[in-house]
Structure formats: structure tokens, C-alpha cells
Amino acid sequence: MIPSGGLPNAKSSSTADSSVLQISGGHRLQGHVKISGAKNSALVIMAGALLCSGECRLRNVPLLADVTRIGQVLSALGVRLKQTGDILEIDARVIKTSKAPYELVTQLRASFFAIGPILARLGVAQMPLPGGCAIGARPVDLHVRGLQAMGAEVQIEHGVCNAYVPGSSRRLKGAKIYLDIASVGATETLMMAATLADGETIIENAAREPEVVDLANFCIAMGAKIYGAGTSTITIVGVPQLHSTEYTIIPDRIEAGTFLVAAAITRSELILSPVVPEHLTPIIAKLQDIGVPIIEEAPNCLRTLSAETLRASDIETLPHPGFPTDMQAPFMALLALAEGDSVINESVFENRLRHASELNRLGADIRVKGNVAFVRGVPMLSGAPVLGTDLRASAALVLAGLAAEGKTIVQGLQHLDRGYDRLDTKLQQLGARIQRIPLAQVNAEVASNPTVEELPTSGATNRENVQSQ
Ligand code: EPU
């Protein structure tokens, strides 16, 4: 069992901080890529294991810094964890404290979602507010209002959300909750809380993302009664307790989408598995519209063929089953090389277009006005040093670097490593010329050769937004 040090193996953020990716672009990729378990399922399912008065065994857990971090949050609550490869055992029979540590929760937004299970199990929870992050303010008002509707008293003081359930039973009560926004996190927090509440909870305008369904299936495997996950009305009938289970996390649709774009942007053929093609419908449809042929080889396997021409296409990000905001940055990199003008409207988060200016450093022609990016396709990109400002922005820059002529250096790997399971290693295996090298090595090259461009100095952008997605 692992003590509060968390899980081993995922790259530590200090290593990621001091390394960069050096990409020599313009080369085709080839081969098969294995898609890892879904980050946004794994994180919330790990929090969901707090509901269980027994042991849970999770399979297909991706190797990510964010998984390590949420493991640290669980350890700090007294939960025992053991990781062997992609299997993670979580023993939450005893939860020693209801107070989640500030230093950890503020680094990882998803850990706030644990307020639902902690409150449901213990009747009391103390959770620091996660704060904003690189892509927007990201309030948690819907989580809080939903818990209040279920009978919790909630006070926010000194940046901490203190919640408790009055009454001798300390059990939350089922309620009818309408979410103003179909928030993924709020749906998950409230669904988890409701599994152990007295009576029936109905969540209306619930998020329909596959990760919400995955969490519901995990809870059902522990004995929860949840109906309608994947639709906009979820009904949960509370049960007295949940039991041990084994559960396999779904493949990561955003990682799969990122590799589909990697193939498209380098005009390559790739095979991806395992995937759930229905989870990728909006991504596949958009790629086909852009001119990228994609074939379903088997029920869990996709083959993408080399595109003759990349065509411009407009995108509006929307809750599932609309086009996912997490794929917006990678598609911006692709559309930067398409023929014609594309308009990208980011309607989920208010500050998620910061990669546009970094793509412009690589020769893209993108103008941003408010939450809309106007992308004028260019025939080629050329390598340059760039800085990833959030997880998906960093991925977009790697993709652009794969297509750009010459050398691209991507900084900001602490973001990338939070959400992609060894992206650089997987790309290397497909033939990409991509290497993780110490930042010091690049700086030494710059110092010794004045013709080498210096790395972007917007270090503040990099460091001020270290909170995870
Ligand atoms: N919102 C509120 N109040 C709330 C909750 C959300 O106003 O109480 C707003 C947000 O500010 C945002 C919108 O609602 O403008 C949608 O946010 P949502 O709650 O759906 O997002 P989330 O649960 O915080 C998850 C993923 C994100 C993904 C979004 C949307 C996890 C850990 N994170 O965030 O993943 O972009 O859903 O699909 O599940 C990523 O992986 O790169 C990432 C950012």
C-alpha cells in the first residue's frame, strides 16, 4: 500500500518543468497506437471510490501526473492505494479525515469533485475552493447549490468550502436539482453524493459526457441505483452503502482524438485501439468534413488514412454530444494548415484560445476576437520555440510541431504530463522525431549559438497557471 506520497511513476511536475520537447517536424507517422484509459474518468472514479466501504480495483488507469495527484488527495484522507501497472487498488474502508489538504486540491480541480462522496460518507467535508485556472474562472456554484438542495449546510469562508449534513443520521436527502449549465463536474459531484442519500434524486440538464456514464457505471458496479446516465435526466435512488468492485475505465476519447489529428496533420496512416467510436462521433465527423478519411476497422479500432487536401471547417465547442472543448486546440493546429478560412467559437470556457498566439509563432495566421478565433489556412508552418499554457494547448503545439518544417521546442510540459499518458513516447513509437531534453541543454545551445532563437520568456504565463484541468 502506498502512503501519503501518492502513486509512483508519473513524471513529477518539477521534471516536466525543467524539460522541453524538441520536435523535428515534417515526417510521417506510421503504425498502431494503444489508447490509454480516460483521464477525466479515472480522476472522478478515483474520487468515487471514496463512496465504497470496501476495496475497489480499477483497471486501465492511465499513467498521469493528475492521477498521482488525486492519489495524494485520497492518501491524505487516510485512504490506502496500491498501483501495479495500470491497475489501481483503492481501499477507502476508513476515511480518517473529512478535510482535504489545500496544497493538493488547489493544484487539481477534479479533486474538488470529492466533496460529494466525502459528504455522503461522513456527513461532513472541508474542501478548499479550487480557484480559477488557465482556461477560465471555473466556479463551483452548481456543485454547492446542488449539495444544499440535498440538505447540506454549506459555508464558504477563507477560501474553504465547509459542508455538513445536519440531523442525527447525517445523510443527505434526495432532491430534484436543475443545473443551469450541463456541467460535467457538478453532475458527477451530485450523482456521487446522491448514491448514498435518503430517497430519490433527479438531476435535470445533466451532462451527457461519456465520462459521466463511466462514473455512473462504476457506481452501479458498487451497488448504486442510477438510471438515465448519458441522457439529460439522471435519477439516483440512494442505498445505505456501496460494496467492493472491479472496474475497467473507458479509453480516452480526447487522447484518441489527439492521435487522429496527429495523423491528419502529418498526412499519415495510423491505427488506434482500443477506442469507443461512438464517443468520438463529433471528432470523426469534423475530421471527415476537413477531408480526413477514417475507417472503423473493428468495433474498438479505427484506421485513419492520409488526407489529400485539408479543407477549412468551422467549429463551435459544446457539451457532449457536441464538439468537445478539449479538442478545440488540437483542431486549431490542424485548421491552421487547411485550405481556406475557418472560424472556431469556444463557447464552453471563457479563456481557452491562448494557444492561437503560440501557433502564430509557428507561422499560423490566426486572429482572436473574444471567444472566437479566425483561422486563415497557410501552406506550411515553420519550427520555433513555443510555450504550452494549458494541457490541450500544449498538445496542439506538439501536433503543430510534428507538421512544421524544422525544429520546434515545446515548453510547459507540466501541463502535458498531467493529462497525456507518455505522449512523446507513443509518438516516438510511431516514428515521430520527438525528444524530451533538459531545458538547460536548450539554454546552453542558445547561449553558444546566437542564431538559435531564445525560448519564449513569458514565464509568468507558464508558472502562474499551474492548476490542472
Ligand atoms: N461552470 C459553472 N459553475 C459550476 C461548474 C461549471 O459556471 O459550478 C461552468 C464552467 O466555468 C464552464 C462550464 O460550466 O464554463 C462547463 O464546465 P464543466 O463543469 O462542464 O467542466 P469541468 O467539470 O470543470 C470537465 C473536464 C474538462 C472538460 C470539461 C468540459 C474533468 C476533470 N475536467 O471539467 O477537462 O474540458 O469538463 O467537457 O473532468 C481537460 O481534460 O483538458 C479538461 C479541461
Side-chain angles (χ1 to χ4, degrees):
M1 291 286 173
I2 298 162
S4 55
L7 310 176
N9 290 335
K11 289 192 179 72
S12 74
S13 112
S14 62
T15 322
D17 256 342
S18 56
S19 306
V20 298
L21 287 179
Q22 181 170 285
I23 306 167
S24 167
H27 302 283
R28 290 195 183 206
L29 310 178
Q30 195 184 15
H32 168 253
V33 59
K34 182 178 178 297
I35 302 302
S36 300
K39 168 182 87 95
N40 289 342
S41 282
L43 298 179
V44 72
I45 285 176
M46 285 173 72
L50 287 166
L51 291 165
C52 179
S53 333
E55 269 194 27
C56 291
R57 174 186 276 245
L58 304 179
R59 296 181 185 277
N60 204 26
V61 177
L63 194 65
L64 304 172
D66 269 4
V67 165
T68 305
R69 283 207 176 90
I70 201 147
Q72 288 168 340
V73 174
L74 297 184
S75 295
L77 296 170
V79 170
R80 291 159 70 84
L81 297 108
K82 183 176 172 210
Q83 187 188 27
T84 320
D86 69 354
I87 297 178
L88 179 63
E89 286 160 21
I90 305 180
D91 178 353
R93 267 176 289 199
V94 179
I95 302 178
K96 290 192 184 138
T97 171
S98 57
K99 292 184 193 174
Y102 171 83
E103 326 73 66
L104 294 174
V105 174
T106 48
Q107 281 182 41
L108 176 65
R109 184 185 165 77
S111 55
F112 184 83
F113 305 174
I115 193 170
I118 299 175
L119 198 56
R121 266 296 284 287
L122 306 180
V124 55
Q126 245 189 48
M127 191 61 81
L129 292 174
C133 80
I135 59 176
R138 303 183 79 182
V140 287
D141 54 317
L142 300 173
H143 303 238
V144 170
R145 288 216 302 268
L147 293 172
Q148 285 170 327
M150 295 172 77
E153 299 279 347
V154 183
Q155 275 182 349
I156 295 178
E157 271 177 354
H158 309 297
V160 176
C161 185
N162 293 294
Y164 77 98
V165 187
S168 54
S169 79
R170 310 218 104 192
R171 277 167 70 90
L172 291 162
K173 289 183 186 50
K176 196 164 177 179
I177 300 164
Y178 171 79
L179 296 178
D180 288 344
I181 301 172
S183 154
V184 173
T187 304
E188 293 171 340
T189 298
L190 301 175
M191 186 167 75
M192 290 189 280
T195 58
L196 294 178
D198 271 334
E200 183 182 88
T201 298
I202 299 176
I203 306 175
E204 284 182 315
N205 196 27
R208 291 178 282 165
E209 269 66 4
E211 295 77 17
V212 172
V213 179
D214 209 24
L215 173 66
N217 287 337
F218 167 65
C219 293
I220 292 167
M222 292 191 293
K225 295 193 173 155
I226 301 176
Y227 311 94
T231 74
S232 50
T233 304
I234 302 180
T235 303
I236 306 111
V237 180
V239 295
Q241 67 172 35
L242 299 179
H243 55 70
S244 298
T245 193
E246 279 202 26
Y247 190 78
T248 303
I249 288 166
I250 55 169
D252 195 312
R253 66 194 165 107
I254 305 301
E255 188 197 15
T258 304
F259 277 100
L260 291 175
V261 175
I265 206 166
T266 55
R267 312 291 180 108
S268 307
E269 267 194 51
L270 288 183
I271 298 174
L272 286 75
S273 73
V275 294
V276 181
E278 307 88 79
H279 294 171
L280 288 155
T281 302
I283 298 170
I284 294 173
K286 188 52 67 182
L287 281 168
Q288 286 172 337
D289 190 41
I290 292 170
V292 183
I294 294 172
I295 300 166
E296 210 175 304
E297 288 254 295
N300 70 349
C301 178
L302 293 176
R303 176 193 286 270
T304 159
L305 303 178
S306 160
E308 276 171 29
T309 312
L310 297 175
R311 294 187 294 263
S313 181
D314 295 344
I315 290 179
E316 178 169 8
T317 64
L318 289 167
H320 192 77
F323 186 89
T325 170
D326 296 342
M327 285 307 299
Q328 176 260 110
F331 269 77
M332 189 184 290
L334 182 62
L335 291 171
L337 283 166
E339 276 181 16
D341 293 348
S342 306
V343 179
I344 300 178
N345 187 346
E346 171 54 60
S347 70
V348 178
F349 290 108
E350 65 272 23
N351 189 23
R352 213 180 194 182
L353 294 172
R354 294 165 74 195
H355 38 279
S357 52
E358 295 299 303
L359 289 169
N360 285 345
R361 288 179 62 81
L362 297 171
D365 180 356
I366 305 168
R367 274 182 311 117
V368 172
K369 205 163 179 208
N371 258 353
V372 182
F374 300 89
V375 185
R376 173 152 294 173
V378 294
M380 61 171 281
L381 298 176
S382 60
V386 284
L387 182 67
T389 46
D390 71 78
L391 169 59
R392 308 302 173 187
S394 306
L397 295 173
V398 170
L399 297 171
L402 293 174
E405 289 296 320
K407 190 163 85 180
T408 296
I409 302 227
V410 182
Q411 261 187 292
L413 303 190
Q414 72 277 21
H415 299 298
L416 199 71
D417 292 339
R418 282 175 157 176
Y420 284 93
D421 186 348
R422 295 159 290 184
L423 182 67
D424 41 329
T425 311
K426 290 187 182 186
L427 285 169
Q428 263 167 12
Q429 285 161 358
L430 299 173
R433 300 187 193 176
I434 179 167
Q435 255 188 311
R436 191 176 283 253
I437 57 172
L439 183 56
Q441 187 179 324
V442 183
N443 287 335
E445 268 181 46
V446 173
S448 66
N449 183 354
T451 61
V452 177
E453 198 188 337
E454 270 183 53
L455 293 180
T457 50
S458 43
T461 340
N462 191 0
R463 268 170 281 285
E464 82 202 357
N465 292 307
V466 290
Q467 196 195 24
S468 188
Q469 316 302 306

